[in-house]
């Protein structure tokens, strides 16, 4: 079992006047990590998935440990803590180049399906094939 890992450079668009990451930008980076995981590791790109279903965040716990600054490279890690029928509890951490944790937490994602009008959204169990792919990231 393993982590899903991506790196991200802190850019001007991510920082506030003090030159540190403005906290909502961390959540955008987390969403990018989830989106990349689904596309690259689970073969379920958001561009295709969101035609008929989705994977919304239903719970999010975040601890900000250390400021990240303009120009730094963050290593973003994601892993599965629990796989349910239609939900996934993932752990995540963002570390700076020295390996110090800047951000860590948990995110719960739920597999949903919706009708063409998107006015009827329901939790839908993952297929066994998808569960097998997800299990590769259980720690």
């Amino acid at each position: 079992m393993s982590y899903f890992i991506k790196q991200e450079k802190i850019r001007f668009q991510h920082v506030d006047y003090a030159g540190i990451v403005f906290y909502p930008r961390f959540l955008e980076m987390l969403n990018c990590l989830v989106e990349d995981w689904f596309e690259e590791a689970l073969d379920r790109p958001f561009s295709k998935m969101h035609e008929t279903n989705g994977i919304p965040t239903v719970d999010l716990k975040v601890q900000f440990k250390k400021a990240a600054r303009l120009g730094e490279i963050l290593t973003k890690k994601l892993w599965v803590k629990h796989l349910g029928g239609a939900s996934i509890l993932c752990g995540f951490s963002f570390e700076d180049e020295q390996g110090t944790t800047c951000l860590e937490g948990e995110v719960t994602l739920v597999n949903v399906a919706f009708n063409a009008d998107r006015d009827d959204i329901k939790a839908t169990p993952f297929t066994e094939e998808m569960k097998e792919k997800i299990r590769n990231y259980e720690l």
Side-chain angles (χ1 to χ4, degrees), residues 38 44 49 52-58 83-88 108-114 121-127 130 134:
F38 269 81
R44 193 173 171 200
M49 179 188 353
T52 58
N53 57 2
I55 192 84
T57 297
V58 297
L83 174 59
S87 67
I88 315 167
T108 302
L109 309 167
V110 174
N111 191 52
V112 298
F114 42 78
I121 301 172
K122 294 182 180 172
T124 304
F126 289 107
T127 64
M130 182 58 60
I134 293 168

Side-chain angles (χ1 to χ4, degrees), residues 20-125:
I20 60 174
V21 174
F22 181 45
Y23 73 93
R25 301 298 168 254
F26 274 128
L27 303 183
E28 291 171 350
M29 290 179 207
L30 172 61
N31 192 71
C32 290
L33 182 63
V34 168
E35 196 169 331
D36 288 345
W37 181 50
F38 269 81
E39 182 170 354
E40 296 171 21
L42 305 179
D43 195 31
R44 193 173 171 200
F46 277 33
S47 61
K48 299 286 185 207
M49 179 188 353
H50 283 266
E51 294 171 1
T52 58
N53 57 2
I55 192 84
T57 297
V58 297
D59 192 40
L60 180 62
K61 294 176 179 72
V62 180
Q63 290 186 331
F64 301 95
K65 300 287 197 176
K66 177 183 175 288
R69 300 190 176 282
L70 183 61
E72 291 181 335
I73 305 291
L74 295 179
T75 298
K76 306 184 300 184
K77 297 179 183 178
L78 180 88
W79 61 93
V80 175
K81 296 179 86 169
H82 177 75
L83 174 59
S87 67
I88 315 167
L89 173 62
C90 295
F92 63 88
S93 68
F94 293 9
E95 298 174 356
D96 65 16
E97 294 165 279
Q98 290 74 43
T100 303
T101 300
C102 297
L103 177 83
E104 65 184 7
E106 295 179 341
V107 59
T108 302
L109 309 167
V110 174
N111 191 52
V112 298
F114 42 78
N115 63 9
D117 295 329
R118 297 181 187 221
D119 59 359
D120 186 28
I121 301 172
K122 294 182 180 172
T124 304

